[in-house]
Amino acid sequence: MLCSRGLGGLRARAAPLRPGRAGLGGLGAGIRARGVSTSWSPVGAAFNVKPQGRRLDLFGERRGLFGVPELSSPEGFRIAQENALRKTDLLVERARCTPPGPQTVLIFDELSDSLCRVADLADFVKIAHPEPAFREAAEEACRSIGTVVEKLNTNVELYQSLQKLLADEKLMDSLDPETRRVAELFMFDFEISGIHLDKEKRKRAVDLNVKILDLSSTFLMGTNFPTKIEKHLLPAHIHHNFVFTGDHVIIDGLHAEAPDPLVREAAYKIFLYPNADQLKCLEELLSSRDLLAKLVGYSTYSHRALQGTIAKNPETVMEFLEKLSDKLSERTIKDFEMIRGMKMKLNPQNSELMPWDPPYYSGVIRAERYNIEPSLYCPFFSLGACMEGLNILFNKLLGISLYAEQPAKGEVWCEDVRKLAVVHESEGLLGYVYCDFFQRADKPHQDCHFTIRGGRLKEDGDYQLPVVVLMLNLPHSSRNLPTLLTPGMMENLFHEMGHAMHSMLGRTRYQHVTGTRCPTDFAEVPSILMEYFANDYRVVNQFARHYQTGQSLPKNMVSRLCESKKVCAAADMQLQVFYATLDQIYHGKHPLRKSTTDILKETQEKFYGLPYVPNTAWQLRFSHLVGYGAKYYSYLMSRAVASMVWKECFLQDPFNR
């Protein structure tokens, strides 16, 4: 699409859930590290103390979110949107009148940039801002800009201005490879949007796209929505595991790590109980996507979605998933036998393995076999220490340093958001990362990366600096205790920082292809590669030290932790194969042979091996169906690529620049 949306780099491993004015003005008020006298470096100290000073003052002058002046109030989204649309009209006119040449591509990229800047920012605000008025205004902006993008993708005059360039072989040969590639990508967006159709069908394609945007938004909200049941329906002795409101219990997740098997079973059956509205929304979303794909000339939505990826088509994806499943099968069976054995040992009266069991029992096996009780590790992984570790790694590997900056009033949406300037040893300031790391009410339970503004070379020769947000759900620090991370949280932080560095270092001429705006099955490669660094003693040894004593994490503890990750790894990967296959079937041939729940049951039994639980509908919580529709396999393919890169480049020396 013209607006090449940023990546909500959602982790595959978490219960799968997920992504103004011409200038985001004033994003850098000079680089200054926050002065905190501790034994940590400035960036480490900034994350190990509570933020100093500026509370979110609701009175007085506010700078505006991300330093965008209009966004000091929710109404600002309307102004930002109107400014972007005015600029869009001027650029469309310029594109029509400009003779074909490199300038055509620059105009298209600026057009994409001016729309993305509002849409991507709104995409983040609509799910993350604590104030409902901001969320609603952002939601409205997303919808409006999304509608405009779809109309532009079927604008015949705009298409013809690009076609003139692509049809001129001599002119195309004279372009540099990057400009040529971006021109082809814009043309590709026109083609998959149905530019070749007659006027009536083009309008139908736009309407379907807008409908899909609305359904996606509704479905996404539903995936996170807690389930409420009457208190008396749950056994009294497990009540304390859940949140209450009046006479009702709120179940807001799977409680997969709960030691009590009844808590896990209850959470699984209640949280995944079918919701009729959500089911209808999913069915409509899948059939609308199928209608759109057929309208613009593809046999399935999957064929349309996979054009331009590493895999190229659903046949390759299914071949990859089936081969992977075959290679895993023996190891998966062994993993399930091991998990079943642990369940039998701890719960002999009920030893049948159920889908709510593997996360808990595999954790017990890891802890027992390798003594990796998280409480032994957490003191060595304070948030400050981990940020210092990332700083050391980036410095040695990439010549990059991270500096904590004090945001201006109104620049951030919550007082505990930290702002980092990313600075290169020879090129200077590369961009900004806003770290929204801490838990709060109504914040989605997912770790992700959002592009707020893509990098690009502007016409005046300046480089537009990228701006991203990393969102995690870490516990808050207390007066005498910094935020301490479990090994899993530390790995997630490294993963998301991989996305951020991809955004900072992808310094392309055009924002349409900057950073994570790349094929989805490549977008996870840098972030998964970072997990390898997070699991290498030579890297961990640089930063893992006790927050009180300064003692380094002993090498044997790191080795045990790394070894423990191999436990039940096949079963974990098999689960991902099942999710990815389900995604392919849902976006394959329509009408679907069976209901989405029957397909889930069949696919689960074939590709995972644990029984389907009657009256559950896990697919209604599968939020990746929105951002990764027909592309969920990307995590597995990116993992294969990242593994190759690690072995080839960093296994001998993780600091090899």
Side-chain angles (χ1 to χ4, degrees):
M1 284 176 220
L2 260 172
C3 194
S4 50
R5 308 306 285 276
L7 183 90
L10 307 175
R11 295 303 304 275
R13 226 177 280 154
L17 304 164
R18 175 184 135 83
R21 270 167 37 143
L24 274 174
L27 264 161
I31 297 157
R32 52 189 182 279
R34 204 173 299 162
V36 183
S37 61
T38 67
S39 60
W40 304 100
S41 70
V43 77
F47 283 86
N48 265 0
V49 296
K50 283 203 171 292
Q52 305 298 311
R54 308 176 194 242
R55 292 193 164 276
L56 278 190
D57 186 357
L58 297 176
F59 308 100
E61 192 194 349
R62 294 175 74 169
R63 177 81 167 274
L65 290 171
F66 299 102
V68 181
E70 297 91 329
L71 297 184
S72 54
S73 71
E75 293 69 49
F77 270 106
R78 190 178 46 76
I79 299 163
Q81 192 180 305
E82 284 167 3
N83 289 343
L85 296 181
R86 261 198 303 277
K87 190 173 179 192
T88 298
D89 290 341
L90 292 171
L91 287 165
V92 169
E93 191 51 38
R94 254 180 78 193
R96 255 177 10 94
C97 304
T98 303
Q103 195 60 26
T104 309
V105 183
L106 280 171
I107 295 167
F108 266 78
D109 192 62
E110 198 175 342
L111 184 53
S112 172
D113 183 59
S114 60
L115 291 166
C116 277
R117 274 221 296 225
V118 182
D120 288 345
L121 196 156
D123 228 11
F124 168 71
V125 171
K126 77 176 183 186
I127 72 158
H129 204 288
E131 294 175 37
F134 264 103
R135 294 200 299 266
E136 285 156 24
E139 175 80 61
E140 186 48 46
C142 276
R143 192 173 192 284
S144 301
I145 299 280
T147 306
V148 171
V149 168
E150 297 310 338
K151 285 181 178 166
L152 289 173
N153 280 336
T154 53
N155 180 313
V156 176
E157 289 182 312
L158 201 53
Y159 161 73
Q160 284 168 345
S161 69
L162 186 65
Q163 197 187 30
K164 280 178 200 157
L165 171 64
L166 276 103
D168 188 330
E169 274 185 46
K170 201 171 170 191
L171 199 48
M172 282 297 282
D173 288 344
S174 72
L175 300 178
D176 63 273
E178 189 181 352
T179 303
R180 201 159 52 236
R181 172 81 180 127
V182 172
E184 287 162 356
L185 284 172
F186 279 122
M187 179 53 80
F188 172 65
D189 291 336
F190 279 123
E191 287 165 353
I192 67 167
S193 298
I195 193 70
H196 52 285
L197 303 173
D198 63 41
K199 190 178 176 184
E200 194 47 51
K201 284 181 176 165
R202 284 201 309 275
K203 185 186 179 307
R204 171 100 179 98
V206 170
D207 293 344
L208 270 170
N209 265 310
V210 172
K211 184 182 179 184
I212 289 165
L213 282 174
D214 287 343
L215 288 166
S216 297
S217 189
T218 306
F219 182 76
L220 211 46
M221 296 289 279
T223 58
N224 281 319
F225 206 73
T227 305
K228 205 170 169 181
I229 65 157
E230 289 176 30
K231 193 156 70 175
H232 69 84
L233 295 171
L234 271 187
H237 73 279
I238 64 168
H239 281 182
H240 66 278
N241 291 280
F242 303 106
V243 176
F244 282 88
T245 169
D247 287 333
H248 288 83
V249 182
I250 307 289
I251 314 283
D252 63 355
L254 292 174
H255 291 257
E257 307 296 334
D260 187 332
L262 193 59
V263 171
R264 295 197 305 275
E265 180 178 351
Y268 190 94
K269 287 178 172 175
I270 296 165
F271 191 63
L272 300 183
Y273 190 77
N275 172 301
D277 290 341
Q278 183 77 341
L279 191 58
K280 185 167 180 281
C281 181
L282 175 61
E283 286 166 354
E284 267 192 73
L285 175 62
L286 296 176
S287 67
S288 299
R289 281 176 169 173
D290 181 67
L291 284 172
L292 175 66
K294 289 196 171 98
L295 179 66
V296 299
Y298 293 89
S299 55
T300 69
Y301 181 79
S302 192
H303 282 91
R304 178 181 183 265
L306 294 175
Q307 283 250 280
T309 58
I310 297 175
K312 293 189 172 63
N313 58 56
E315 292 76 21
T316 306
V317 172
M318 282 312 295
E319 189 185 346
F320 169 70
L321 293 173
E322 280 164 2
K323 276 188 175 169
L324 182 54
S325 193
D326 288 346
K327 286 198 180 297
L328 285 170
S329 65
E330 273 183 42
R331 278 184 277 178
T332 302
I333 290 165
K334 280 185 183 156
D335 283 357
F336 283 150
E337 279 169 5
M338 188 163 58
I339 295 168
R340 197 174 282 110
M342 180 54 78
K343 182 170 183 178
M344 202 175 274
K345 181 174 152 187
L346 298 180
N347 192 2
Q349 68 277 25
N350 181 9
S351 60
E352 187 193 358
L353 201 56
M354 298 305 286
W356 54 79
D357 288 327
Y360 173 70
Y361 289 111
S362 56
V364 172
I365 295 165
R366 284 185 198 110
E368 191 178 271
R369 192 176 289 182
Y370 294 102
N371 187 22
I372 52 149
E373 171 55 45
S375 62
L376 298 174
Y377 285 85
C378 292
F380 294 91
F381 293 138
S382 68
L383 178 55
C386 296
M387 292 305 294
E388 197 165 295
L390 285 161
N391 198 28
I392 292 165
L393 177 64
F394 294 152
N395 204 282
K396 291 187 175 188
L397 206 55
L398 306 163
I400 278 173
S401 300
L402 306 173
Y403 293 93
E405 278 200 13
Q406 178 73 50
K409 187 171 73 172
E411 186 181 340
V412 294
W413 48 100
C414 188
E415 63 167 15
D416 57 21
V417 173
R418 312 289 210 277
K419 178 184 178 184
L420 290 178
V422 180
V423 182
H424 187 267
E425 59 193 16
S426 60
E427 293 192 35
L429 184 61
L430 294 184
Y432 292 96
V433 179
Y434 287 82
C435 302
D436 185 355
F437 281 176
F438 302 101
Q439 296 163 345
R440 64 175 174 270
D442 295 335
K443 184 178 175 182
H445 292 288
Q446 62 217 40
D447 297 347
C448 38
H449 160 281
F450 292 85
T451 298
I452 301 298
R453 179 177 79 183
R456 71 184 179 106
L457 191 62
K458 295 191 286 190
E459 284 195 71
D460 62 7
D462 279 352
Y463 197 81
Q464 174 173 294
L465 298 177
V467 177
V468 304
V469 175
L470 294 189
M471 194 158 80
L472 305 175
N473 273 279
L474 303 176
H476 283 270
S477 57
S478 63
R479 203 185 337 198
N480 45 13
L481 204 66
T483 292
L484 301 179
L485 277 60
T486 63
M489 289 172 183
M490 182 271 283
E491 191 179 286
N492 275 12
L493 171 63
F494 270 64
H495 176 103
E496 297 305 336
M497 265 296 190
H499 284 310
M501 286 304 117
H502 191 179
S503 290
M504 295 296 124
L505 293 163
R507 283 172 80 77
T508 49
R509 185 183 311 177
Y510 304 101
Q511 70 81 42
H512 196 68
V513 289
T514 186
T516 57
R517 302 197 201 286
C518 64
T520 310
D521 48 9
F522 183 77
E524 293 293 334
V525 172
S527 52
I528 291 171
L529 186 60
M530 282 297 291
E531 294 176 26
Y532 285 90
F533 289 98
N535 286 303
D536 189 291
Y537 179 71
R538 295 162 295 181
V539 176
V540 175
N541 186 42
Q542 300 281 320
F543 69 89
R545 49 197 170 107
H546 200 284
Y547 75 98
Q548 284 172 315
T549 65
Q551 178 205 345
S552 289
L553 182 65
K555 185 171 184 178
N556 70 336
M557 282 180 74
V558 182
S559 309
R560 291 204 309 267
L561 187 63
C562 295
E563 280 302 306
S564 75
K565 299 209 169 166
K566 296 172 188 169
V567 173
C568 305
D572 287 347
M573 196 174 280
Q574 191 73 55
L575 182 65
Q576 296 303 320
V577 172
F578 153 49
Y579 294 161
T581 308
L582 188 68
D583 173 45
Q584 285 303 310
I585 297 169
Y586 282 168
H587 291 101
K589 212 165 157 25
H590 273 246
L592 295 171
R593 295 175 295 107
K594 299 177 171 179
S595 71
T596 58
T597 305
D598 285 339
I599 290 169
L600 170 87
K601 177 179 188 289
E602 195 177 83
T603 312
Q604 181 170 326
E605 284 163 7
K606 183 179 174 188
F607 282 93
Y608 188 41
L610 292 190
Y612 163 77
V613 179
N615 294 318
T616 63
W618 177 82
Q619 76 275 22
L620 304 183
R621 298 290 186 180
F622 190 11
S623 70
H624 277 69
L625 287 174
V626 171
Y628 281 72
K631 296 180 186 175
Y632 190 77
Y633 75 92
S634 298
Y635 284 106
L636 291 165
M637 194 164 274
S638 292
R639 189 161 288 286
V641 176
S643 160
M644 284 160 56
V645 174
W646 173 261
K647 285 174 185 159
E648 196 67 35
C649 307
F650 301 109
L651 189 59
Q652 294 305 310
D653 173 13
F655 303 110
N656 184 336
R657 206 181 262 201

